[in-house]
Amino acid sequence: MATERYNAPDRERYWQHVWEKSQIFRASEDKARPKCYVLEMFPYPSGRIHMGHVRNYAMGDVFARYKRAKGFNVLHPMGWDAFGMPAENAAMERKVDPGTWTYANIDTMRGQLKSMGLSLDWSREIATCTPTYYKHQQKLFLDLLKKGLAYRKSSKVNWDPVDHTVLANEQVIDGRGWRSGALVEQRQLTQWFFKITDYAEELLSDLDTLVNWPEKVRLMQANWIGRSDGMLVRWALDKKTAPKGFSEVEVYTTRPDTLFGASFLAVAADHPLAKAAAENNPELEAFCEECRRMGTSVAEIEAAEKRGFDTGIRAIHPFDKDWELPVYVANFILMDYGTGAIFGCPAGDQRDMDFARRYGLPVVPVILPPDKDAATFELKDTAYTDDGTMINSRFLDGLTTKAAFEETAQRLETQKLGRKPQGARKVNFRLRDWGISRQRYWGCPIPVVHCKTCGVVPVPEKDLPIKLPEDATFDKPGNPLERHPTWKHVNCPKCGEPATRETDTMDTFVDSSWYYVRFTAPEAATPVDVDAAHYWLPVDQYIGGIEHAILHLLYSRFFARAMCDTRHLSFATNTREPFAALFTQGMVTHETYKSPEGFWMLPGDVRLEGEGAHRRAVEIATGRQVTIGATEKMSKSRKNLVDPDDIIAHYGADCARWFMLSDSPPERDVIWTEAGVAGAGRFIQRIWRIVDEIAETFPGPLGARPESFGPEALEIRKAAHRALDQVGRAIEALRFNVAVANIHEFANVLHSALSQSGPDIAWAAREAGAFLVTMIGPMMPHLAEECWARLGYNTLVANEPWPAVEPDLLVDDQVTIAVQVNGKRRDELVISRSAKSEDVEAAALKLGSVLRALDGRQPKKVIVVPQRIVNVVG
RNA sequence: GCGGACGUGGUGGAACCGGUAGACACACAGGACUUAAAAUCCUGAGAGGGUGACCUCGUGAGGGUUCGAGUCCCUCCGUCCGCACCA
């Protein structure tokens, strides 16, 4: 009896070796089977994997292995998002070459991932920093350039003074660089952009098709794209006051209905009209300068008051040539939204209200709230921005807000009142083009050459890849490519004269915008093997962190479309969405500990004692009391890290995987606890013991199925089939914690059933054992193989199909239904599943508990929900 | 400020479409085994009351719809997340 304890670390190495040798996770196109592309967001090779990776990849692996068992042709690849700042920082700090550093990290992390036993097709591994990858990215860039989807312009950009590079709008968080955390500055630079705004409408409307994405992510993207329906309204300027060459100003508004509530116009400090007006007005010039300086940080914007400067220019109301309004330069007008100019309606917009109150401008209410009386309605300092009935608005009076919008829009479009004021409907987006220039070394070089005579010249395709020089220096800040002695000096591909290479490299988010395409044919001579991509895409299940809800996912959605339009890609589906289903997993958190001096401490240096209110922590080395802090995301800075290697070496990968999948719903944060891991470790041994006992007590293969099963054997079979059914559904829905609970439940049933004997029991137990092993397979694959072998099979459970559930076994002949009296549960009733409602009612009314609860009253009504509940109303 | 999500025992969390709330696990308590510990196995447990089969209360708070509400509707409170002068 009792085989020894399952030695996870040892057996895991063995089974990993077996999988690797048999190459079972290699994917190839197979039209005969339905495909399933399972992808987890690929890691940045920062040095070592962390628990967040373990959780992410464990989830993806469960799904991939399950789908494989369900008969799908699964593609489950892995690679490295390998360009980026940390490699350069390492080069600066430790004098190692960024490439050397990166590849060493990749080697380490590959080893770590392999020790997790993931069902990955390693033959497709890619690293974005290899010329064999970025060569194709350069080709894609050239095609985008040709198509007009990549372009250069001078613009105000977010400059990260720590990383010495430009950041995209999406990469500025609370006014700080997303990576460095430095306060971002505004600089005027000539930069490369991708025309993501060309796809704004499609990127927004197609969100509706992404039904298998979290609602939250879709909303975040929709808000980010920020569509608004409005009008462009052109206001004539009074000739006497307008600067030379300006006869009108165009403003953007989403509320043309409030046009009669206008009391001023305002333009941004960078607006051409402001610049012209400032030319011979030093005071205004100074004000504009001040405005430009502001707005460099969000903190300042928040604190800033609404301020303006009257330019002296007067504008003429589109519907009344005798109505003049002042034109201000104002600090709260954004040059890059709409037209950089607005008309201010204090009654209908809080900002305009603040502004009007400060400068003593008129406040005319134009919308009467539904619950207010026209005679008494007045506005204090709060604007009314909702719908209502139009007042003080001439021909709009009495209309609803919506009708007034239409009426105004129509009139503006068709009429030519006064001096050529007019308007046009316009959809405006908040989304800006994606600035991809980075003044860094460790990125994909932008393949163009700047020539004095020919201008910007694309590098001929035959010259790709433009490789990074291997002898760059990192001893001072700035772009190593820019200061490299020879790299940038080339001859113009067009005229042959001396010219310079573009020294900007691409934002690393470009690399990750198409890697999922490259995985479908990682060796292809062209960026994409169209057939392979057509077969595999879209990704059927994508799993990663919520932190990429906007950046990476939006860029990827853009890139898929841009690649379609440059004929690199075509989808078999009728949308151009790269990720059919998205799942965003929660973070891995851990308690934090602080020494008496206030320094963060590693969990490994701390011993926990007591519980509840008496729970305390002491430093193992000294026995000193340690402060237990909040539970937070595992991070280096707080030192609340647990190294996956340690866990895998001690408990095994299956244990780490199982714990990650237990308890917490995958979309929520999971708290890593030593007790939880130990519990997972105990369960592994429990499974091993159960399987061992089955193998020992009921040896041999499944054999011929008995003619009939006794009630005890039937119970085992029912439990097995029910569990298999439930676990399958739970995995399908990515509800791993529920699957884990179902497995626990089944293991408990099986464990207590094993003391019985008999030929039918033997068969049922063997079947149940096989089921148990199959259902733990996706989550604890090594243990499953070991158990599978122990049960006497000489195949790999990783290759076994998910058994078919016998539907008959999922239903019981007898059902237990609750009996309520007036909605309160009083009893329960075990009755035939097919019992008629009348019979159920009769049986319920006979129950002593029911009679007692009725207390002599006659039942007024009896509600019977078949197989569920009886409610006696009395 | 705007938008969204969430709120269930000591803890993590279950509960299909409105139908027995608390599955499963962790932690805990008691017992068995053991010289002892670990491991394992068995048992217990939402709160309160009763000797007892039982009764009352209970899913953030309050109200509503319903035979019946953790689930649907309204108001409020709290926590978390996203966006934030976007006209």
Side-chain angles (χ1 to χ4, degrees):
Chain A
M1 180 76 221
T3 315
E4 66 250 33
R5 285 170 64 82
Y6 173 66
N7 182 341
D10 177 57
R11 301 314 293 156
E12 289 183 354
R13 273 190 293 276
Y14 171 75
W15 290 111
Q16 283 159 20
H17 177 70
V18 171
W19 292 327
E20 183 144 359
K21 225 171 58 186
S22 57
Q23 294 284 315
I24 57 173
F25 303 126
R26 265 189 111 125
S28 59
E29 285 132 70
D30 173 4
K31 301 250 154 64
R33 281 186 296 163
K35 66 93 183 179
C36 187
Y37 185 176
V38 182
L39 186 66
E40 300 97 60
M41 291 179 185
F42 67 162
Y44 176 79
S46 57
R48 308 183 61 76
I49 65 167
H50 53 67
M51 282 298 176
H53 293 126
V54 174
R55 192 175 193 202
N56 191 184
Y57 301 138
M59 288 179 190
D61 200 46
V62 172
F63 195 77
R65 284 176 181 268
Y66 172 75
K67 284 291 184 181
R68 174 187 308 283
K70 290 291 274 187
F72 286 85
N73 184 27
V74 171
L75 172 60
H76 189 209
M78 182 55 71
W80 311 96
D81 188 12
F83 273 137
M85 277 302 296
E88 266 182 87
N89 290 339
M92 280 183 269
E93 286 158 22
R94 277 173 270 172
K95 314 235 176 307
V96 287
D97 172 67
T100 310
W101 183 84
T102 303
Y103 289 118
N105 288 346
I106 288 176
D107 284 342
T108 305
M109 292 172 73
R110 187 193 299 109
Q112 291 184 295
L113 289 185
K114 287 196 172 179
S115 76
M116 279 185 67
L118 305 169
S119 64
L120 292 165
D121 179 354
W122 282 105
S123 74
R124 291 175 187 254
E125 178 182 356
I126 53 180
T128 57
C129 64
T130 55
T132 49
Y133 182 82
Y134 69 68
K135 165 186 173 176
H136 299 293
Q137 189 162 308
Q138 290 173 338
K139 160 74 173 149
L140 291 176
F141 177 92
L142 293 177
D143 288 342
L144 293 181
L145 184 63
K146 215 179 286 170
K147 188 88 184 166
L149 291 170
Y151 67 98
R152 231 159 79 97
K153 72 170 177 194
S154 169
S155 78
K156 227 184 203 180
V157 294
N158 307 302
W159 179 261
D160 185 321
V162 168
D163 282 352
H164 290 278
T165 188
V166 162
L167 297 175
N169 291 331
E170 290 83 351
Q171 293 165 347
V172 179
I173 295 149
D174 289 340
R176 290 169 183 276
W178 72 289
R179 193 183 277 286
S180 72
L183 274 177
V184 166
E185 299 165 7
Q186 303 294 309
R187 287 199 184 177
Q188 191 74 28
L189 285 172
T190 299
Q191 299 282 295
W192 286 97
F193 287 84
F194 283 153
K195 229 166 182 308
I196 190 170
T197 52
D198 269 13
Y199 298 87
E201 185 71 64
E202 188 184 338
L203 288 170
L204 181 68
S205 59
D206 282 359
L207 286 173
D208 292 341
T209 68
L210 296 173
V211 293
N212 289 317
W213 278 42
E215 182 63 28
K216 182 185 176 158
V217 175
R218 292 195 286 166
L219 244 154
M220 281 165 74
Q221 291 218 354
N223 289 339
W224 189 266
I225 296 166
R227 183 195 148 110
S228 68
D229 282 289
M231 292 207 73
L232 292 171
V233 183
R234 289 155 67 190
W235 296 60
L237 298 176
D238 171 46
K239 263 193 206 126
K240 293 188 288 294
T241 57
K244 251 202 181 81
F246 288 87
S247 61
E248 61 176 33
V249 61
E250 193 174 43
V251 309
Y252 176 70
T253 179
T254 55
R255 298 296 301 272
D257 47 299
T258 64
L259 205 50
F260 289 105
S263 61
F264 65 95
L265 265 64
V267 300
D270 285 321
H271 194 279
L273 186 61
K275 286 182 178 164
E279 246 165 50
N280 36 29
N281 186 342
E283 263 183 277
L284 178 56
E285 175 59 45
F287 178 78
C288 289
E289 196 45 49
E290 203 183 319
C291 291
R292 280 185 209 112
R293 268 205 309 279
M294 278 207 336
T296 50
S297 87
V298 169
E300 280 180 80
I301 287 172
E302 274 175 27
E305 287 178 85
K306 308 271 171 296
R307 290 179 53 215
F309 192 101
D310 189 347
T311 58
I313 303 168
R314 293 294 172 262
I316 294 152
H317 195 280
F319 291 126
D320 185 348
K321 63 181 174 3
D322 298 324
W323 184 354
E324 288 195 347
L325 293 90
V327 179
Y328 281 78
V329 174
N331 64 349
F332 64 98
I333 308 302
L334 305 172
M335 188 55 220
D336 59 2
Y337 190 78
T339 60
I342 61 139
F343 79 80
C345 172
D349 185 293
Q350 192 55 49
R351 292 158 301 174
D352 298 346
M353 175 66 94
D354 296 346
F355 192 81
R357 289 298 185 215
R358 184 176 176 113
Y359 293 101
L361 295 160
V363 177
V364 181
V366 283
I367 295 170
L368 181 70
D371 57 339
K372 290 279 173 14
D373 179 39
T376 58
F377 178 62
E378 57 178 321
L379 284 164
K380 295 244 158 53
D381 288 333
T382 308
Y384 178 75
T385 55
D386 281 338
D387 288 358
T389 312
M390 304 311 298
I391 50 172
N392 301 325
S393 295
R394 307 189 190 184
F395 54 81
L396 298 174
D397 281 349
L399 295 179
T400 62
T401 311
K402 212 173 258 167
F405 183 111
E406 281 309 312
E407 180 64 26
T408 315
Q410 292 230 327
R411 290 209 188 203
L412 282 171
E413 277 165 355
T414 57
Q415 292 188 20
K416 298 210 167 179
L417 296 166
R419 270 180 288 177
K420 62 165 189 171
Q422 46 175 283
R425 276 170 214 250
K426 160 97 175 154
V427 171
N428 206 50
F429 293 95
R430 206 188 77 111
L431 184 70
R432 302 270 79 92
D433 276 339
W434 174 16
I436 59 148
S437 284
R438 294 294 178 271
Q439 291 69 40
R440 301 306 327 166
Y441 166 81
W442 194 233
C444 173
I446 294 174
V448 300
V449 168
H450 298 281
C451 171
K452 277 206 184 72
T453 46
C454 310
V456 174
V457 183
V459 169
E461 278 173 32
K462 65 172 172 50
D463 294 341
L464 297 183
I466 300 303
K467 285 195 197 174
L468 291 167
E470 286 172 10
D471 54 350
T473 56
F474 302 92
D475 48 347
K476 44 183 175 264
N479 185 353
L481 291 179
E482 181 67 41
R483 64 166 176 264
H484 189 276
T486 56
W487 186 78
K488 70 174 174 181
H489 300 293
V490 287
N491 292 332
C492 171
K494 214 169 186 177
C495 68
E497 292 299 306
T500 55
R501 275 196 198 295
E502 172 64 66
T503 56
D504 284 352
T505 51
M506 291 183 217
D507 181 2
T508 57
F509 279 97
V510 179
D511 313 340
S512 54
S513 291
W514 71 287
Y515 78 107
Y516 52 88
V517 181
R518 188 68 188 163
F519 272 141
T520 65
E523 318 258 327
T526 50
V528 181
D529 176 326
V530 179
D531 291 336
H534 200 267
Y535 174 80
W536 287 112
L537 290 174
V539 172
D540 294 278
Q541 183 64 59
Y542 197 33
I543 307 178
I546 186 76
E547 67 273 18
H548 293 110
I550 296 172
L551 292 164
H552 163 60
L553 291 166
L554 189 62
Y555 293 150
S556 293
R557 296 181 62 224
F558 157 67
F559 234 79
R561 289 167 174 79
M563 285 173 77
C564 287
D565 289 342
T566 49
R567 299 183 170 275
H568 284 287
L569 200 55
S570 78
F571 281 94
T573 49
N574 52 11
T575 66
R576 309 201 282 181
E577 290 295 344
F579 311 121
L582 171 72
F583 188 84
T584 53
Q585 100 267 5
M587 297 181 302
V588 182
T589 64
H590 196 286
E591 263 181 349
T592 51
Y593 308 104
K594 260 187 183 174
S595 71
E597 291 81 26
F599 296 116
W600 299 108
M601 295 179 69
L602 290 165
D605 296 336
V606 171
R607 185 176 60 240
L608 297 169
E609 298 169 347
E611 58 172 288
H614 303 292
R615 196 160 170 278
R616 58 189 215 117
V618 293
E619 189 176 13
I620 293 170
T622 63
R624 295 187 308 168
Q625 181 106 19
V626 167
T627 312
I628 301 179
T631 298
E632 296 184 62
K633 179 183 181 178
M634 282 191 186
S635 72
K636 269 186 199 156
S637 60
R638 298 199 198 289
K639 289 204 179 175
N640 57 342
L641 292 165
V642 175
D643 189 344
D645 270 4
D646 295 344
I647 300 297
I648 290 170
H650 188 205
Y651 293 101
D654 286 340
C655 182
R657 293 167 59 126
W658 184 256
F659 174 69
M660 279 299 190
L661 300 166
S662 311
D663 292 349
S664 291
E667 68 279 8
R668 276 193 229 171
D669 291 353
V670 63
I671 305 171
W672 184 275
T673 62
E674 190 57 34
V677 185
R682 281 198 300 274
F683 185 66
I684 287 174
Q685 298 301 335
R686 182 172 163 85
I687 292 279
W688 177 240
R689 280 194 306 274
I690 290 173
V691 169
D692 189 52
E693 195 180 337
I694 293 172
E696 195 67 29
T697 318
F698 310 106
L702 206 48
R705 180 180 167 138
E707 297 269 317
S708 65
F709 293 94
E712 293 83 8
L714 200 58
E715 279 314 306
I716 297 174
R717 298 203 66 217
K718 278 182 176 172
H721 283 256
R722 199 175 300 130
L724 192 74
D725 183 56
Q726 288 171 332
V727 170
R729 283 172 206 268
I731 293 176
E732 197 97 45
L734 304 172
R735 304 189 57 195
F736 306 116
N737 58 322
V738 177
V740 164
N742 291 331
I743 290 173
H744 269 289
E745 208 168 357
F746 175 47
N748 289 343
V749 171
L750 190 54
H751 173 80
S752 43
L754 288 179
S755 54
Q756 306 167 89
S757 60
D760 60 340
I761 294 282
W763 198 90
R766 284 196 290 262
E767 184 194 42
F771 277 23
L772 179 66
V773 172
T774 307
M775 68 180 90
I776 64 165
M779 307 194 207
M780 300 192 283
H782 312 85
L783 175 67
E785 296 294 359
E786 189 75 11
C787 290
W788 194 246
R790 181 73 182 95
L791 288 176
Y793 298 96
N794 55 11
T795 54
L796 288 173
V797 74
N799 269 338
E800 289 295 310
W802 195 261
V805 170
E806 292 177 27
D808 291 353
L809 293 172
L810 297 183
V811 291
D812 284 313
D813 298 335
Q814 298 283 308
V815 289
T816 307
I817 63 176
V819 180
Q820 296 180 336
V821 177
N822 291 328
K824 277 205 171 67
R825 183 185 165 277
R826 293 291 167 184
D827 209 334
E828 57 186 35
L829 201 57
V830 178
I831 199 159
S832 159
R833 176 172 204 85
S834 53
K836 291 201 186 79
S837 290
E838 304 91 81
D839 301 338
V840 175
E841 181 175 332
L845 289 175
K846 261 186 252 162
L847 289 168
S849 49
V850 171
L851 295 173
R852 225 176 312 129
L854 280 172
D855 197 21
R857 291 180 305 251
Q858 279 303 306
K860 288 192 198 116
K861 190 154 84 163
V862 179
I863 287 149
V864 179
V865 182
Q867 296 160 38
R868 284 213 178 270
I869 206 164
V870 186
N871 191 8
V872 180
V873 185

